[in-house]
Amino acid sequence: MKDLLIRNGMVIDPSVERSVSDDEPRDLLIRDGRIAGIASRIEPGDEREVEVIDARGLVVTPGLIDLHVHLREPGFEYKETIESGARAAVAGGFTAICCMPNTRPVNDNSSITSFIIAQGRAAGLASIFPIGAITAGSKGEQLAEIGEMMNAGIVAISDDGRPVPDAGIMRRALEYASDFGLPVVDHCEDCCGATGWAMHEGQYSALMGLKGLPGAAEDLHVARDLILAEMTGAHIHIAHISTGRSVEMVRAARLRGVRVTCEVTPHHFTLTDGDLYRSGYDTNFKMAPPLRTAEDLQAILEGIADGTIDAIATDHAPHHQNEKMVEFDHAPNGIIGLETAVPLALDRLVHRGLITLPRLVEMLSTAPARIFNLADRGTLRVGAIADVTIIDPQCNRKVDLGESFSKSRNSPFGGWELKGAVNRTIVGGRVVFGSVEGN
Amino acid sequence: MRLNRKDLLGIAELTAAEIELILETAETFRDINTRQIKKVPTLRGKTVINLFFEASTRTRTSFEIAAKRLSADAINISASTSSVVKGETLVDTALNLQAMAPDAIVIRHSSSGAPGRIAAIARAAVINAGDGTHEHPTQALLDALTIRHRKGRLAGLRVAIIGDILHSRVARSNIHLLTKMGAEVVLAGPRTLLPFDLEKIVDARPGRLCFARSVEEALRGADVVMTLRIQLERQSGGFFPSLREYSTQFGLNRRRLDLAKPEAIVLHPGPINRGVEIDSDIADGGASVILDQVENGVAVRMAILYLLAGGESA
């Protein structure tokens, strides 16, 4: 394998202390799939062949990690396969993605886990880290074989989309998982009498005549989980936080020392239920949790700015075009997000001055690696796995869903002009998105 | 004069001037409906498809009569299921309809927003005949025509709407129309059946919207009382304990109606549940204009078809 030398990039690595020289362009050398060195000037030796990437004006970061994607394989390959999802991931700058267990069959045992990992290896793009089910079949009744799945390679457990309704079972899951050092990821949604909901309950659901899910449905579940995490000392990770009240509760719990982390999706820091209203019942604005109010969005932005929200995760949820061509209340929840996450985050958070670029890299790489205990990732330290993302923060680009690598097209962001784009993605020292030579 | 729009999807997007135009046009058709020969050649050669994905007798018949009195060819299709059950997507339904080149498509659908999605694809005028719990614009227009006939105006009237506001497309369309035309709308019913934050949607309109704490409070001083049909499935949905209790706590009876102004009128979009949301003596009494509503429905639908399907002069 040839060495890879990334020249003159603005290297941002939140996993190490910043020094004065960090604002100068630096060279980064990759050898044998690992980070071999970072310095103001690295001269390739004569003894090895080297490929050179000119990263002048670009930002070089540890590979981005998405804690929350749906890859649909096994069972729903018409929506997405592990290969197509991994291809969309690297096109979006993600070198590692963690996939939810709601496949068919559910990833609730080690053979499914092993299958997913094998498919991921075969694709040879982004690294695939499966998340196992909390309960068998995600039915919320009996714990899944968490230890065996751990041995097979899961990095967390979750019954995403079918949150464990019984607090007693959730308590056992937290206790049991903590023995294995696994975080429990919860999609917080108490049904609140709102089965069959189609959007956030508020003025716009009243106006549109759509069944609403109140913010309280999330808040109740978050409150429960925080209380259980405090009692058990286990690590709870709140998936796709969407309400102001939930952000507030996470902030307060962390001050008390509760082991809680949380993630937010790009659509929840960008869109509101008012945008859904203005879309005219566009089913690409339908997801769980639903788009919330402008006040919630403001609280989410504050949570991002003050660090309450640890990570950005896409909740990439492919659904075939045909499935979204139906009545709003019959359309499935979810949107794709792998390829729009970085442009949205740069455009909405960094260029608007809410957070710095290093903080963004932390939310997309360092923090996710820490939350799911992914060793040797989310860092550019010498010896770490050479997962690297190169970003062009100034590039203006229009979102063209036709160019997406996902098998699905369900996104509300088609046609959006966003400032900031992924330039190249390198996994284990191999350039898997963008070319070595040109831009 | 024409409506400067392709479709009628809801009252929310209409201006007061457009509502006025529709009502004025409906007045002229009301006269035609009292003639010996009730047919005019206005829409001769035009095709109107009545596409009903949800059971309806009154509205479907009303649209059919309206189209026929305008000499249009009216075709009724009762699909009675959603795309999910039928296995054809809403988009395909729209494309197929468009291929038949109708001039107007009248749609009733159990899903909110479905007519709008079809309208975005079809070149024909799409008329919403009730979509889910969203809007039922022609019902609000015929209610307005009925009220205006009895009261001479809409502005300044106090209108009490009683019942299941949350699930009522009739209530939504009426709230939009009446507040746009300067009436004061007071809503009452079990708290479980009142939507959140509805007041916010009528900001900056000439009329007012408020929630009353009780049916009695809403009725006090009302010029117009609208009761809404209560559906049995709301009881199983846990919104209220029983139809019997609904009737005693929220139903319109003589004692409650006496709180309204002496000359108050009573509307109901039908079909009525006698003895549940409205007592028979009220439904059949002098204050009731329920059958006037049905009569005005034909005139309003003729006006809409005429204004949207592009007839010559009335």
Side-chain angles (χ1 to χ4, degrees):
Chain A
M1 196 174 180
K2 289 180 192 170
D3 286 359
L4 188 61
L5 181 59
I6 303 170
R7 274 251 148 98
N8 286 316
M10 190 65 66
V11 177
I12 296 180
D13 181 4
S15 74
V16 297
E17 289 287 315
R18 280 174 63 77
S19 64
V20 194
S21 62
D22 283 1
D23 292 335
E24 300 294 317
R26 284 181 293 170
D27 295 352
L28 184 152
L29 182 70
I30 293 169
R31 177 166 294 169
D32 300 329
R34 299 266 166 179
I35 306 290
I38 300 180
S40 345
R41 185 75 187 166
I42 297 177
E43 290 302 337
D46 296 334
E47 71 279 15
R48 295 178 74 105
E49 277 192 280
V50 63
E51 290 184 308
V52 178
I53 290 174
D54 178 8
R56 219 169 326 181
L58 304 176
V59 172
V60 178
T61 77
L64 309 184
I65 300 166
D66 192 342
L67 295 179
H68 193 146
V69 303
H70 298 270
L71 294 181
R72 309 302 189 201
E73 183 183 352
F76 306 97
E77 290 82 359
Y78 67 97
K79 297 176 195 246
E80 196 82 286
T81 60
I82 289 168
E83 199 267 338
S84 67
R87 201 168 285 285
V90 296
F94 292 97
T95 55
I97 52 179
C98 308
C99 56
M100 283 294 176
N102 62 335
T103 45
R104 191 168 64 202
V106 170
N107 180 20
D108 64 357
N109 63 76
S110 59
S111 60
I112 304 289
T113 304
S114 302
F115 169 78
I116 293 169
I117 289 173
Q119 291 293 84
R121 292 227 170 96
L125 296 157
S127 304
I128 308 293
F129 291 105
I131 297 168
I134 298 175
T135 59
S138 286
K139 288 184 180 142
E141 290 159 6
Q142 192 181 333
L143 292 183
E145 291 166 343
I146 294 164
E148 294 208 351
M149 289 193 288
M150 165 92 179
N151 294 339
I154 63 165
V155 292
I157 55 171
S158 180
D159 278 353
D160 185 61
R162 296 179 67 180
V164 179
D166 186 303
I169 292 169
M170 191 62 179
R171 173 207 168 164
R172 300 288 178 233
L174 283 161
E175 289 173 333
Y176 193 76
S178 65
D179 278 347
F180 296 93
L182 288 174
V184 179
V185 182
D186 205 9
H187 167 132
C188 290
E189 181 184 327
D190 184 290
C191 84
C192 257
T195 47
W197 60 269
M199 69 178 291
H200 173 72
E201 181 173 351
Q203 62 169 314
Y204 292 108
S205 66
L207 195 53
M208 298 176 78
L210 288 173
K211 192 161 180 182
L213 178 76
E218 176 167 317
D219 304 337
L220 281 167
H221 220 82
V222 168
R224 179 199 80 170
D225 285 357
L226 292 173
I227 289 165
L228 292 173
E230 188 162 12
M231 180 178 97
T232 58
H235 175 188
I236 184 82
H237 177 74
I238 308 293
H240 41 53
I241 199 163
S242 72
T243 71
R245 176 63 59 85
S246 290
V247 172
E248 194 182 301
M249 286 191 290
V250 167
R251 188 181 286 126
R254 190 168 291 158
L255 283 176
R256 287 201 308 278
V258 178
R259 287 179 64 202
V260 56
T261 51
C262 67
E263 69 192 29
V264 67
T265 70
H267 45 279
H268 286 108
F269 68 61
T270 306
L271 300 170
T272 64
D273 59 347
D275 294 309
L276 159 56
Y277 169 64
R278 286 179 286 276
S279 81
Y281 297 89
D282 183 344
T283 54
N284 290 322
F285 286 74
K286 186 179 179 189
M287 66 287 285
L291 297 171
R292 301 290 188 184
T293 67
E295 292 76 33
D296 287 313
L297 188 141
Q298 193 50 43
I300 291 284
L301 293 177
E302 282 162 22
I304 290 172
D306 74 6
T308 303
I309 297 174
D310 302 272
I312 292 169
T314 65
D315 194 6
H316 178 81
H319 289 294
H320 195 274
Q321 224 162 341
N322 300 354
E323 296 171 297
K324 286 278 195 179
M325 287 164 87
V326 299
E327 297 86 345
F328 195 88
D329 47 1
H330 294 303
N333 283 323
I335 62 170
I336 56 172
L338 283 166
E339 291 156 281
T340 45
V342 168
L344 282 166
L346 284 165
D347 192 276
R348 298 285 144 156
L349 305 179
V350 176
H351 291 310
R352 293 189 180 188
L354 191 77
I355 56 172
T356 62
L357 201 45
R359 168 79 182 123
L360 178 67
V361 176
E362 190 178 0
M363 293 187 81
L364 281 166
S365 178
T366 320
R370 189 184 65 238
I371 292 168
F372 279 7
N373 310 305
L374 306 179
D376 283 346
R377 294 178 201 269
T379 178
L380 295 176
R381 259 190 295 256
V382 171
I385 292 165
D387 285 358
V388 179
T389 302
I390 304 178
I391 292 168
D392 183 349
Q394 304 303 326
C395 171
N396 286 297
R397 202 168 288 169
K398 192 171 187 171
V399 178
D400 180 354
L401 295 175
E403 288 180 356
S404 172
F405 288 95
S406 170
K407 287 180 98 169
S408 294
R409 295 287 178 269
N410 51 313
S411 164
F413 298 115
W416 281 43
E417 305 253 9
L418 297 169
K419 186 174 183 181
V422 171
N423 178 276
R424 289 184 183 85
T425 307
I426 297 158
V427 174
R430 258 180 350 108
V431 179
V432 289
F433 175 73
S435 59
V436 174
E437 303 83 24
N439 278 302
Chain B
M1 195 164 169
R2 291 278 178 279
L3 273 179
N4 191 21
R5 55 177 69 245
K6 179 172 95 61
D7 312 297
L8 177 68
L9 299 174
I11 303 293
E13 51 265 27
L14 297 183
T15 63
E18 288 176 303
I19 293 166
E20 191 59 47
L21 169 65
I22 296 166
L23 294 178
E24 284 304 321
T25 310
E27 290 287 357
T28 65
F29 287 115
R30 251 179 74 92
D31 298 339
I32 291 170
N33 288 336
T34 59
R35 290 183 200 161
Q36 202 70 27
I37 304 294
K38 299 181 178 63
K39 196 158 180 162
V40 291
T42 316
L43 293 187
R44 193 161 47 201
K46 305 273 182 181
T47 306
V48 177
I49 295 180
N50 286 324
L51 180 59
F52 279 63
F53 289 93
E54 201 182 64
S56 156
T57 308
R58 190 183 333 257
T59 306
R60 189 177 54 76
T61 311
S62 182
F63 267 108
E64 186 178 352
I65 291 173
K68 286 182 169 160
R69 287 192 180 163
L70 291 168
S71 304
D73 297 310
I75 291 98
N76 293 320
I77 305 172
S78 295
S80 79
T81 74
S82 78
S83 64
V84 170
V85 182
K86 181 167 79 215
E88 180 183 63
T89 69
L90 191 64
V91 172
D92 286 320
T93 304
L95 291 170
N96 277 281
L97 285 173
Q98 183 50 51
M100 295 178 224
D103 298 285
I105 307 171
V106 177
I107 299 171
R108 161 153 308 181
H109 202 290
S110 56
S111 291
S112 300
R117 303 290 288 170
I118 291 177
I121 295 165
R123 279 190 299 278
V126 170
I127 298 161
N128 179 4
D131 62 330
T133 56
H134 176 225
E135 283 228 43
H136 191 353
T138 57
Q139 177 72 41
L141 288 161
L142 72 88
D143 288 346
L145 192 66
T146 307
I147 296 168
R148 240 174 43 158
H149 255 264
R150 289 299 180 106
K151 297 288 171 194
R153 66 196 162 98
L154 295 171
L157 293 178
R158 179 177 164 96
V159 182
I161 306 180
I162 312 292
D164 180 1
I165 313 291
L166 183 63
H167 300 101
S168 176
R169 54 194 175 210
V170 174
R172 264 174 197 70
S173 289
N174 265 304
I175 289 165
H176 287 305
L177 189 148
L178 292 165
T179 54
K180 282 174 190 238
M181 302 307 280
E184 179 192 358
V185 178
V186 191
L187 307 175
R191 185 74 69 88
T192 49
L193 292 171
L194 302 178
F196 281 169
D197 291 341
L198 201 57
E199 309 95 307
K200 287 187 189 165
I201 69 177
V202 300
D203 282 354
R205 288 189 189 162
R208 291 203 318 124
L209 175 68
C210 63
F211 288 91
R213 273 184 297 269
S214 66
V215 175
E216 285 78 7
E217 185 188 312
L219 289 172
R220 212 156 281 139
D223 299 287
V224 177
V225 180
M226 283 186 191
T227 49
L228 301 171
R229 180 178 168 78
I230 189 80
Q231 281 165 338
L232 188 57
E233 72 211 54
R234 305 300 170 216
Q235 181 185 319
S236 54
F239 290 96
F240 58 89
S242 66
L243 287 180
R244 199 182 66 83
E245 172 151 320
Y246 185 88
S247 169
T248 61
Q249 303 300 310
F250 304 99
L252 189 63
N253 54 29
R254 172 58 54 198
R255 180 176 54 81
R256 292 205 173 104
L257 185 58
D258 282 345
L259 297 168
K261 286 193 182 151
E263 67 282 11
I265 56 170
V266 175
L267 289 83
H268 190 298
I272 60 175
N273 292 311
R274 289 174 182 266
V276 182
E277 72 266 359
I278 186 165
D279 278 4
S280 275
D281 65 321
I282 307 291
D284 301 330
S288 168
V289 293
I290 295 173
L291 295 176
D292 299 30
Q293 290 174 271
V294 179
E295 185 187 333
N296 287 329
V298 176
V300 157
R301 287 164 183 135
M302 287 172 81
I304 295 297
L305 286 170
Y306 164 70
L307 290 167
L308 294 179
E312 301 309 311
S313 61

